[in-house]
């Protein structure tokens, strides 16, 4: 890793623009180092196009700054902070959490699946114990990070403090969408999505996989989504795949849902008026690591969306990332930049990165 | 992509009814086995020998507990090799407690539609096995279900298990005419929102579907268990010439695996014919290609100049063996 | 019809130009809904009923409804004790057909058990993502409509919910900077 002498920006002078007061990615050296080390840099190639870029999960990916990808459910330094943010978003807008009635089995399935992943990844803090096997298995769940301990019977709602999907989503940083499979089609029929990047889960719930991705240009013309669905409907129990997606977000703002477009939309104008220091501190490369899991009892697909963000000033401190991100942003076709909502400032972002060398 | 095999040991052998053997298989270390969707099947590796000219991969519906199971249970009807059966069931019927068995993890092609407001299960003979698994799950979740079971008197496996799970919602009949009459009646009295699942001999499933269509059921509400072995098909062996070198690709090994083994680097990702990464060029010295991917368009395939190495293979013609000339 | 942009996957073709689908004569019982007084819708229903009458023994339950609300009540009554084999046919505006489709799917009907006959596509329901109010107006896809709840100008996005039948609407000019607030700059 190549470190430039630039210090991370701690504080930005007021400008009178909408970007004033946006959360930054901190000066806390420990947190900053952890975020950089675990960052899933999303550009394997100097150009970016949509593709059905799925690969088997759990493989560690080494980066110049660290590694990512060994676990399906990732607990990092932001654990408590992001869980608190999820709680706030849900309190303000309950439509980010929906379970259609036929998804009850899938929600139990998802809860158990997420507990298994957590326990496998963090055996010191998380533990799922099968207390009794049989038609109604009994379990004990311990989440040491949150000080939770709960014994429950599979499929019996009364033995949990809340609805299973909602409860487990208060213990993971991932957004979760559960897709029901009927007649070879996947429907997004349940989920907790508080950190959406420019879409509305509340509006999309109940739609098919193809419909949810409807508005994305190129995806359909190039057959990417149809192939992805064909792949997903064949996914077998226990198989886990992953892919990444990315965009640019202004400020460390996890909730850039369509619901709040009127709040964050103006930042796309403001950011153009910022000086270089503020620009590099506020513009974040936002990466989603998405995991796709076939759940065993319900047959549903669990779609996990985990969001990572790093400001350009941090991206630029890793030389390979700086060069590659600049290349990708500069070359990205206009329609894709439009859809990602970055058309107004991606050229400056590319130039900023190039100049930071 | 074929996931790793699991090693199992036979822990129980029972004669359920004459000709049907129940088998319990546990992990060799006694740990819980992977959970699976109701209606899933287990593919057992049946070794060659004992009159079997080649190894077989036989699929059997799982009938036991599907969540965190301590054992996998299958019920296998003995089919006589003398009547053309390949010999897999005869091998199962010769297994003893303590025997080791290799299997693929459970595969699901016949799961219940959870969106259904009610489930009508219609089975015949040994075809009852995946429906038993469905019924267990419906009992767990309190879902409405009704089951019709046609079998010969005294030869119907799992009759007691079904009754214990669903009591009066289960009807067992031994007479085909009476069964057809009841089926006709029940098909016309299912609440909108019901889905139908059938498993049994092909002729039986065809009958059920015809009767359902007559009663106005649309295709989307009908589900039949047909063991989909196409995606497990190991394929036929073929040869490849690449960089002046000749490689043999045996059955069960993909072109991608063969190329990797010979030291060639081929970009790849999903290994299931979806992502498009492992596309390789095909030269004029090649025979026909058996495309098995989801990636290439019909035009790509018609052009005949490439294939997806992870799933696609060579096909023989009448006058020449299966062969590919691969350009990397 | 002009080809649909490939990204319009959630927008039924019959909301862009009138389309009359053929009835599914495999059904045994058919709820036939005419929504609104449009003679074109009455003609569609008459054609459907003629086709169904010529098919093997079927029962037709016809309803002439003044508006979508009345149609939803008739539909609910018919589906209350319906059996598999039931079909629903609806003739009227695209907006009314979307509303009936949403109710029918909620009641357990599948897409293949539903037939639509669309006679006009002018009016759309637009759901405001910011305040959850719904506008009903003559507007094209990617046109702009005022939200009756929060007065924002909403872009009519080509994205339609199968659960509500409404289009997604969001503030069309959200990226404009607010008027200077007088803060230091």
């Amino acid at each position: 890793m190549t470190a430039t002498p630039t210090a991370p920006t701690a504080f930005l002078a007021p400008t009178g623009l909408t970007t004033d007061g946006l959360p930054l990615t901190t000066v806390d050296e420990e947190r900053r180092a952890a975020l950089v080390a675990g960052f899933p840099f999303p550009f394997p190639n100097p150009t970016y196009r949509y593709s059905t870029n799925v690969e088997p999960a759990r493989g560690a990916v080494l980066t110049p700054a660290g590694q990512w990808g060994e676990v399906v459910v990732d607990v990092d330094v932001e654990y408590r902070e992001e869980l608190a943010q999820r709680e706030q978003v849900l309190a303000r807008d309950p439509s980010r959490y929906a379970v259609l009635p036929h998804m009850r089995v899938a929600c139990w399935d998802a809860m158990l699946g997420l507990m298994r992943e957590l326990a496998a990844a963090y055996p010191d803090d998380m533990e799922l114990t099968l207390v009794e096997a049989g038609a109604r298995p009994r379990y004990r769940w311990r989440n040491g990070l949150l000080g939770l301990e709960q014994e429950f019977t599979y499929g019996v709602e009364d033995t949990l403090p809340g609805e299973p999907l909602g409860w487990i989503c208060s213990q993971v940083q991932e957004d979760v969408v559960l897709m029901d499979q009927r007649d070879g089609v996947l429907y997004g029929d349940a989920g907790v999505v508080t950190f959406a990047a420019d879409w509305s889960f509340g509006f999309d719930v109940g739609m098919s996989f193809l419909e949810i991705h409807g508005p994305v240009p190129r995806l359909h013309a190039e057959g990417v989504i149809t192939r992805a669905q064909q792949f997903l409907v064949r996914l077998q129990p226990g198989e886990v795949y992953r892919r990444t997606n990315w965009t640019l977000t202004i400020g460390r703002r996890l909730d850039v849902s369509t619901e709040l477009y009127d709040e964050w939309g103006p930042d796309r104008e403001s950011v153009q008026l910022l000086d270089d220091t503020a620009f590099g501190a506020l513009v974040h490369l936002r990466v989603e690591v998405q995991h796709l899991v076939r759940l065993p009892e319900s047959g549903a697909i669990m779609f996990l969306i985990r969001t990572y963000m790093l400001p350009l000033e941090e991206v630029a401190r890793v030389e390979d990332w700086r060069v590659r991100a600049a290349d990708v942003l500069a070359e990205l076709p206009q329609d894709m930049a439009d859809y990602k909502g970055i058309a107004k400032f991606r050229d400056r972002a590319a130039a900023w990165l190039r100049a930071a060398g | 992509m074929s996931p790793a095999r699991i090693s199992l040991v036979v822990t129980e052998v029972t004669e359920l009814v004459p000709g049907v053997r129940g088998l319990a298989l546990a992990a060799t270390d006694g740990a819980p086995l992977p959970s699976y969707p109701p209606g899933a099947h287990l593919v057992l590796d049946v070794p060659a020998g004992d009159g079997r000219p080649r190894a077989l991969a036989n699929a059997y519906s799982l009938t036991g507990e599907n969540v965190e199971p301590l054992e996998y249970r299958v019920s296998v009807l003995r089919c006589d090799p003398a009547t053309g059966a390949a010999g897999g069931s005869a091998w199962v019927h010769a297994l003893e407690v303590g025997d080791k068995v290799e299997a693929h993890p459970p595969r699901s092609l016949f799961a219940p539609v959870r969106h259904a407001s009610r489930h009508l299960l219609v089975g015949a003979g040994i075809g009852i096995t995946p429906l038993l698994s469905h019924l267990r799950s419906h009992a767990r979740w309190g879902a409405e279900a009704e089951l019709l079971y046609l079998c010969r008197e005294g030869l119907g496996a799992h009759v007691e298990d079904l009754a214990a799970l669903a009591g009066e919602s289960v009807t067992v009949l031994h007479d085909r005419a009476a069964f057809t009459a009841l089926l006709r009646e029940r098909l016309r009295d299912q609440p909108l929102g019901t889905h139908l699942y059938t498993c049994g001999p092909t002729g039986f499933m065809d009958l059920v579907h015809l009767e359902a269509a007559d009663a106005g059921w649309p295709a989307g509400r009908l589900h039949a268990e047909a063991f989909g072995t196409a995606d497990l098909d190991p394929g036929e062996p073929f040869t490849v010439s690449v960089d002046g070198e000749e490689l043999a690709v045996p059955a069960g090994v993909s072109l991608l695996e063969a190329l990797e083994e010979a030291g060639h680097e081929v970009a790849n990702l999903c290994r299931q014919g979806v992502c498009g990464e492992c596309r390789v060029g095909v030269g004029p010295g090649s025979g026909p290609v058996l495309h098995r991917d989801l990636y290439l368009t019909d035009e790509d395939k018609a052009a005949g100049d490439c294939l997806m190495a992870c799933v696609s293979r060579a096909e023989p013609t009448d006058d020449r063996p299966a062969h590919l000339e691969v350009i990397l | 019809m002009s080809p649909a942009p490939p990204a319009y996957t959630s927008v039924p073709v019959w909301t862009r130009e009138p389309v009359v689908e053929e009835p599914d004569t495999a059904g045994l019982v058919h709820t036939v809904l005419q929504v609104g007084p449009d003679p074109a819708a009455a003609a569609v229903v008459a054609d459907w009923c003629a086709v169904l009458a010529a098919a093997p023994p079927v029962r037709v339950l016809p309803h002439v409804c003044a508006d979508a609300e009345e149609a939803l009540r008739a539909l609910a009554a018919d589906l209350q004790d319906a059996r598999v084999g039931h079909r629903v046919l609806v003739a009227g505006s695209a907006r009314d057909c979307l509303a009936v489709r949403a109710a029918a799917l909620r009641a357990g009907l599948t897409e293949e058990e539903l037939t639509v006959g669309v006679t006009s596509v002018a009016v759309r329901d637009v759901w405001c993502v910011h305040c959850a109010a719904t506008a009903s107006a003559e507007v094209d896809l990617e046109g702009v409509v005022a939200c009756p709840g929060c007065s924002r100008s909403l872009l009519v996005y080509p994205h339609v919910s199968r659960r509500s039948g409404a289009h997604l609407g969001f503030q069309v000019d959200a990226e404009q900077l607010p008027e200077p607030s007088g803060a230091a700059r």
Side-chain angles (χ1 to χ4, degrees):
Chain A
M1 166 171 173
T2 316
T4 68
T6 345
T9 307
F11 176 78
L12 296 174
T15 59
L17 294 164
T18 57
T19 42
D20 282 357
L22 277 179
L24 300 172
T25 298
T26 199
V27 283
D28 174 344
E29 183 52 36
E30 206 176 318
R31 175 172 179 249
R32 194 190 63 80
L35 291 176
V36 172
F39 189 68
F41 188 74
F43 304 129
N45 304 306
T47 58
Y48 177 84
R49 294 294 183 275
Y50 294 121
S51 67
T52 313
N53 58 338
V54 287
E55 61 179 351
R58 300 183 215 280
V61 180
L62 297 179
T63 71
Q67 71 167 54
W68 64 277
E70 259 189 312
V71 298
V72 173
V73 181
D74 185 18
V75 171
D76 69 8
V77 288
E78 301 291 281
Y79 188 61
R80 279 179 188 76
E81 165 63 25
E82 291 185 6
L83 295 185
Q85 282 195 39
R86 169 163 297 144
E87 201 179 332
Q88 285 162 16
V89 171
L90 289 172
R92 176 168 139 168
D93 182 359
S95 74
R96 313 297 185 88
Y97 166 30
V99 177
L100 299 188
H102 62 278
M103 296 304 279
R104 177 179 166 226
V105 182
C107 289
W108 275 98
D109 228 356
M111 184 189 79
L112 215 52
L114 289 168
M115 287 174 173
R116 278 207 191 94
E117 294 295 344
L118 283 168
Y122 308 99
D124 292 345
D125 294 314
M126 313 276 189
E127 203 177 356
L128 180 68
T129 315
L130 178 65
V131 178
E132 192 184 320
R136 293 206 172 274
R138 276 200 309 129
Y139 295 90
R140 188 166 45 247
W141 169 242
R142 185 177 71 83
N143 178 337
L145 293 180
L146 299 180
L148 296 173
E149 193 150 345
Q150 183 77 30
E151 196 164 308
F152 63 89
T153 305
Y154 191 61
V156 182
E157 273 75 7
D158 288 354
T159 61
L160 286 182
E163 184 279 324
L165 181 66
W167 188 56
I168 196 63
C169 284
S170 68
Q171 303 178 49
V172 296
Q173 290 163 264
E174 282 71 14
D175 277 339
V176 179
V177 177
L178 301 181
M179 295 190 286
D180 189 34
Q181 185 165 329
R182 319 195 275 279
D183 218 2
V185 177
L186 296 165
Y187 295 90
D189 284 348
V192 174
V193 179
T194 51
F195 305 142
D198 208 355
W199 62 293
S200 166
F201 171 72
F203 184 80
D204 284 5
V205 67
M207 281 192 195
S208 74
F209 186 71
L210 260 60
E211 289 169 347
I212 289 172
H213 291 87
V216 189
R218 285 182 188 242
L219 271 188
H220 295 278
E222 293 173 10
V224 169
I225 282 295
T226 319
R227 265 203 306 282
Q229 171 161 288
Q230 283 176 309
F231 170 74
L232 289 175
V233 299
R234 284 155 202 246
L235 206 62
Q236 286 297 317
E239 290 184 352
V240 186
Y241 279 73
R242 74 174 175 217
R243 65 182 295 270
T244 58
N245 196 5
W246 69 276
T247 188
L248 299 177
T249 297
I250 299 157
R252 190 176 187 83
R253 206 197 262 269
L254 281 168
D255 180 8
V256 280
S257 55
T258 312
E259 282 85 344
L260 301 187
Y261 181 40
D262 51 333
E263 287 183 19
W264 54 261
D267 297 342
R268 288 178 175 169
E269 285 294 327
S270 302
V271 76
Q272 302 170 66
L273 305 173
L274 296 173
D275 65 33
D276 280 341
T277 305
F279 189 90
L282 279 171
V283 175
H284 284 67
L285 177 55
R286 176 192 188 104
V287 182
E288 292 178 355
V289 175
Q290 305 173 346
H291 279 94
L292 300 147
V293 185
R294 172 73 75 185
L295 297 173
E297 165 79 337
S298 60
I301 297 271
M302 176 163 70
F303 186 35
L304 302 174
I305 309 160
R306 175 59 183 281
T307 300
Y308 300 85
M309 297 174 84
L310 215 53
L312 294 188
E313 64 181 14
E314 293 297 337
V315 172
R317 285 155 66 99
V318 180
E319 181 62 11
D320 291 356
W321 290 357
R322 184 187 68 77
V323 173
R324 177 56 59 83
D327 288 348
V328 168
L329 288 170
E331 191 278 340
L332 194 71
Q334 188 62 27
D335 59 331
M336 293 174 72
D338 281 333
Y339 179 72
K340 286 183 181 288
I342 62 174
K344 291 175 180 171
F345 57 99
R346 58 91 174 240
D347 284 339
R348 179 161 177 210
W352 189 99
L353 285 164
R354 285 197 171 134
Chain B
M1 193 201 82
S2 59
R5 300 287 211 283
I6 42 181
S7 299
L8 301 169
V9 58
V10 179
T11 54
E12 193 186 304
V13 171
T14 33
E15 183 90 351
L16 297 172
V17 290
V20 178
R21 172 176 256 213
L23 217 57
L25 304 155
T28 44
D29 62 0
L33 291 158
S35 306
Y36 57 87
H41 60 265
L42 190 67
V43 178
L44 299 180
D45 283 348
V46 181
D50 273 342
R52 292 178 300 274
R54 58 189 178 92
L56 305 170
N58 274 30
Y60 299 108
S61 291
L62 289 153
T63 61
E65 292 301 341
N66 65 310
V67 177
E68 207 92 43
L70 293 173
E71 63 200 7
Y72 286 155
R73 288 186 172 266
V74 294
S75 304
V76 180
L77 174 69
R78 189 175 205 284
C79 302
D80 192 348
T83 64
S89 71
W91 171 77
V92 169
H93 277 251
L95 286 173
E96 290 172 13
V97 169
D99 283 351
K100 299 274 201 303
V101 175
E102 295 284 299
H104 293 262
R107 298 176 60 80
S108 169
L109 293 168
F110 188 56
V113 173
R114 301 289 179 180
H115 189 258
S117 59
R118 181 181 165 87
H119 307 267
L120 177 62
L121 312 175
V122 184
I126 197 64
I128 198 63
T129 48
L131 303 178
L132 169 60
S133 169
H134 279 218
L135 206 58
R136 272 188 211 287
S137 181
H138 297 324
R140 183 199 330 268
W141 298 103
E144 270 190 47
E146 173 177 355
L147 185 142
L148 310 179
Y149 181 13
L150 175 66
C151 59
R152 283 194 276 161
E153 186 131 32
L155 296 181
H158 297 298
V159 168
E160 292 80 18
D161 296 330
L162 298 168
L165 280 168
E168 289 177 2
S169 305
V170 174
T171 309
V172 182
L173 288 171
H174 307 303
D175 174 71
R176 187 146 185 143
F179 176 83
T180 309
L182 179 67
L183 175 66
R184 232 168 246 175
E185 181 203 316
R186 299 309 304 141
L187 283 170
R188 283 168 176 74
D189 192 24
Q190 297 298 322
L192 190 65
T194 307
H195 280 241
L196 180 149
Y197 309 79
T198 183
C199 184
T202 312
F204 173 83
M205 293 195 288
D206 289 346
L207 168 87
V208 172
H209 280 193
L210 277 175
E211 290 292 343
D214 268 359
W217 287 64
R221 295 195 181 278
L222 305 177
H223 313 277
E225 166 63 303
F227 285 122
T229 44
D231 45 358
L232 280 177
D233 180 3
E236 298 297 326
F238 61 100
T239 55
V240 178
S241 51
V242 53
D243 291 353
E245 188 191 352
E246 191 89 356
L247 302 177
V249 186
V253 174
S254 71
L255 171 59
L256 177 61
E257 289 164 343
L259 289 170
E260 287 174 336
E261 209 155 290
H264 299 285
E265 261 188 47
V266 183
N268 71 88
L269 211 53
C270 75
R271 302 178 84 97
Q272 295 212 38
V274 175
C275 73
E277 287 289 319
C278 69
R279 176 177 176 147
V280 298
V282 165
S286 301
V289 175
L290 176 62
H291 291 286
R292 307 201 293 184
D293 64 280
L294 297 166
Y295 183 81
L296 296 174
T297 62
D298 290 345
E299 293 86 70
D300 291 335
K301 290 173 188 170
D305 58 357
C306 64
L307 59 65
M308 308 313 301
C310 63
V311 290
S312 298
R313 310 180 69 82
E315 268 194 311
T317 58
D318 288 343
D319 51 358
R320 52 184 289 204
H323 179 77
L324 291 179
E325 180 189 337
V326 165
I327 304 158
L328 293 175
Chain C
M1 183 193 299
S2 55
Y8 280 20
T9 54
S10 65
V11 183
V13 287
W14 43 264
T15 65
R16 300 176 57 235
E17 278 182 41
V19 172
V20 177
E21 295 175 346
E22 288 297 309
D24 176 6
T25 52
L28 299 191
V29 183
H30 301 259
T31 288
V32 181
L33 301 161
Q34 178 193 328
V35 192
D38 185 353
V44 168
V45 164
D47 286 351
W48 281 345
C49 288
V51 172
L52 291 174
V58 295
R59 200 148 66 90
V60 177
L61 309 172
H63 304 274
V64 179
C65 309
D67 54 23
E69 262 178 53
E70 197 180 318
L72 296 189
R73 278 197 299 274
L75 179 71
D78 275 11
L79 295 187
Q80 179 88 49
D81 294 308
R83 309 280 102 177
V84 176
H86 204 109
R87 300 290 187 277
V88 173
L89 301 88
V90 52
S93 71
R95 175 193 175 273
D96 293 340
C97 288
L98 280 172
V100 168
R101 177 178 81 151
L105 295 180
R106 272 201 301 276
L109 210 78
T110 62
E111 207 93 47
E112 58 182 338
E113 291 164 333
L114 183 75
T115 301
V116 297
V118 171
T119 54
S120 67
V121 296
V123 177
R124 293 171 199 283
D125 280 352
V126 182
W127 179 79
C128 174
V129 72
H130 307 295
C131 81
T134 299
S136 200
E138 278 200 25
V139 62
D140 282 333
L141 291 174
E142 299 183 74
V144 175
V145 68
C147 175
C150 61
S151 325
R152 288 184 177 91
S153 295
L154 302 178
L155 178 74
V156 182
Y157 207 51
H159 204 34
V160 176
S161 162
R162 58 170 71 232
R163 295 176 65 233
S164 69
H167 297 67
L168 177 65
F170 54 79
Q171 189 179 333
V172 64
D173 54 358
E175 295 190 17
Q176 274 178 20
L177 285 181
E179 294 299 311
S181 61
R185 170 125 235 277

